[in-house]
Amino acid sequence: MVFAAPAGLVGLLASPTAALADSAPVVYPIPGSEPSVGDAIVTDPAGQVWFTTDDTNVVNAHPQPRIGRLDPANATAGGSTGFSLFPTPAVGSSCCATYVRSLAFDNARSQLWFVRSDGVYGWADPSAVVAGTSTGMHYATAPAGLWGVAVDQNSHAVWMAENSSGPYDSGGYPGDRIARTDSALGLTELPNISLASSRWNLKPIGPSVGPNGEVWFAESDPGQRGYRIARVGGGSGYDEYSLNCVAASPCSGSNTGQGPTDTAVASDGTVWFIDRITNTLGRFVPSSGQMTQYSLTSLDLSLSAAAPRQLRFAADGSLWVAVGASSSSSTGANAILKVTSSAAGPVASVFHTGAYSPYAVAPSVTGDVWFTATDSSGCIDIVRLVQVTTPGKDVGGITVPDGGTPGATPTPAPPAGPAPAGTPPPTTTTPPPTALAVVSAGVAQPGKVTTSGDTATVRQICVGPPQDKCSLIYELDANEYVTGFPGSGSASRATAARAPKKTAKTKKAVVLGTTAVTLTGGQTKAVSVRLSAKARKALKKQRHIRAKLVVRQQLPGGGTKVVSTKSVTFKAK
């Protein structure tokens, strides 16, 4: 599936009622009436639906959170038939609530993989599991809590995200890394991301494997340098890519809420991700470095009260996104999105789900799309959109429609099984698609720069309609050698002669001061940048400092552009 980035697509392109068609989801209540969790759902090549669920009492009583299975052939809409529940092994922590956080299915080996919040990971043999027991499950324990698992369908390697609350390898703070295992359950841990990048508390989550075996994941906490998506690089490192800084989106700091929490890789290698804190759907092209984030509010204004939670690709190449409201009073914001390509760029159909707040989503080879959802009573239900994709098969980890890749070995067809109980549910109506709008950006035009003592001030203008934004970074860069800032500009010959030879190799750009601001379209503001404390101390010694004021604008398509570079001179008063 190839998506082309929209050209000049900004603003709100849909009316508030553009996609309010009745999606008629089919609901299957999970047996039991206690409040539950439903972090994950997957389907297997036979069309069976596997999910995570557990009532609050069971989770807190003992660490055996359950995996559920729904057999669609024996299920009745509105009823609880066709369900089986399987407790995971009774190992790990006995003090706290424990959850199965993620599921993945190895199609060729018929293994259902699971990871738990207490670090237990393993796989279940669907042909050997027994309802009410842990029979048929194989497991081991990682040194940190896990939140995310993905299977490479070609190599059968299994990748997991160690999601922790600290950066250290000891002292009770393991994790913040990606780990690899296989059916033998041996564990290979990659380096701690926080230690490798001088950051902390990144909380890796939502791993996915691309067609070329590349492993991608999200860093859900901003740490010290902003929200990012990343991949496992060559050797044992990571390649990290910063998300765009848009209005109301912190790009650094901590304790600001979850940002990106899930990734999915298309058959062409394009990486898609969700960003909860900005309510956007993101697209990253590794070959070009282009990163684009699309506004969900542009599809339907009611989605402004929601947040994207998970995304998955279907056999026909369509991308499915679970969007849930942040409040039980915002039921109009609950939806499942179907994203496809068009000549102008990505478009999406909005399946409103009423009082059912989606969390995890799983397209099936049968053409159905399944998702877990919290209902008005706080319980988790399994919900179905009927025949909304093209039925297909899985080929080497890349799903294609029937009649796809020539010469490929297809997965065996699902068994016939008994006839569905009751009347088969009607096909779900797909709402008309609407264009996804790029998160907008105005044009930044800085005016004259003035200096007063240790502060530079520029009259900044953001040109564009009110919904546009100009997210700007102002940086004072050393323009000559500054005492106390070795590595800035060129030192005198005498200073250079005294410096060790290796100094020249380790020189780096020196920033004497920085600030950031976001303006709305049409807004004008005087923006001031003050020298840092160290630079102010140097100014007192030298009496003057020459520097460059560089103004960069964050682009909605990814990266930044320099909109102004001006020389400034600071003079001590």
Side-chain angles (χ1 to χ4, degrees), residues 64-454:
Q64 279 191 273
R66 296 172 297 180
I67 296 171
R69 181 179 65 194
L70 174 62
D71 177 9
N74 290 295
T76 302
S80 297
T81 59
F83 283 95
S84 301
L85 298 175
F86 310 91
T88 53
V91 293
S93 172
S94 59
C95 72
C96 313
T98 305
Y99 303 98
V100 177
R101 288 300 190 192
S102 303
L103 298 173
F105 206 91
D106 187 330
N107 296 323
R109 296 192 176 187
S110 192
Q111 295 172 342
L112 175 69
W113 282 87
F114 62 91
V115 296
R116 292 193 338 200
S117 57
D118 62 351
V120 173
Y121 65 93
W123 56 275
D125 179 353
S127 66
V129 291
V130 177
T133 76
S134 300
T135 301
M137 296 188 184
H138 308 261
Y139 64 91
T141 304
L146 302 171
W147 204 324
V149 60
V151 176
D152 186 333
Q153 300 289 346
N154 294 312
S155 69
H156 305 289
V158 178
W159 298 86
M160 305 179 294
E162 292 190 11
N163 185 283
S164 74
S165 58
Y168 307 110
D169 286 327
S170 59
Y173 296 102
D176 264 357
R177 72 181 82 232
I178 299 297
R180 185 179 70 248
T181 187
D182 55 30
S183 57
L185 297 177
L187 188 66
T188 300
E189 294 182 292
L190 275 64
N192 185 299
I193 308 169
S194 298
L195 295 179
S197 59
S198 299
R199 302 167 69 209
W200 59 282
N201 205 26
L202 306 179
K203 294 188 178 296
I205 193 172
S208 58
V209 182
N212 58 359
E214 287 186 336
V215 180
W216 291 86
F217 60 97
E219 296 176 1
S220 61
D221 190 278
Q224 294 176 334
R225 299 183 184 176
Y227 297 103
R228 300 184 178 192
I229 61 170
R231 68 178 165 189
V232 175
S236 59
Y238 306 94
D239 300 321
E240 298 178 278
Y241 302 88
S242 297
L243 272 60
N244 302 329
C245 294
V246 297
S249 172
C251 294
S252 62
S254 62
N255 300 318
T256 50
Q258 284 189 323
T261 56
D262 200 20
T263 64
V265 187
S267 59
D268 65 351
T270 299
V271 183
W272 289 80
F273 60 92
I274 53 175
D275 188 352
R276 292 192 184 190
I277 204 166
T278 59
N279 196 22
T280 56
L281 173 65
R283 175 180 181 265
F284 179 66
V285 183
S287 59
S288 66
Q290 182 188 40
M291 184 176 290
T292 308
Q293 288 177 253
Y294 302 96
S295 166
L296 297 188
T297 306
S298 69
L299 296 172
D300 189 319
L301 289 180
S302 67
L303 298 185
S304 62
R309 290 172 171 169
Q310 195 183 80
L311 70 169
R312 292 290 183 269
F313 279 102
D316 62 2
S318 56
L319 180 64
W320 293 81
V321 186
V323 179
S326 55
S327 170
S328 58
S329 62
S330 303
T331 57
N334 295 325
I336 296 290
L337 309 182
K338 177 184 181 181
V339 181
T340 55
S341 60
S342 74
V347 296
S349 296
V350 182
F351 295 79
H352 283 273
T353 58
Y356 297 94
S357 180
Y359 197 92
V361 62
S364 173
V365 295
T366 62
D368 296 334
V369 170
W370 298 83
F371 60 95
T372 58
T374 306
D375 60 27
S376 57
S377 64
C379 293
I380 288 290
D381 299 297
I382 305 302
V383 190
R384 177 187 190 184
L385 300 178
V386 184
Q387 294 296 294
V388 288
T389 72
T390 304
K393 56 180 178 290
D394 184 90
V395 181
I398 304 173
T399 49
V400 298
D402 285 326
T405 307
T409 302
T411 301
T423 304
T427 299
T428 305
T429 301
T430 300
T434 300
L436 277 162
V438 177
V439 174
S440 60
V443 178
Q445 294 184 356
K448 184 179 179 181
V449 179
T450 60
T451 58
S452 176
D454 57 12

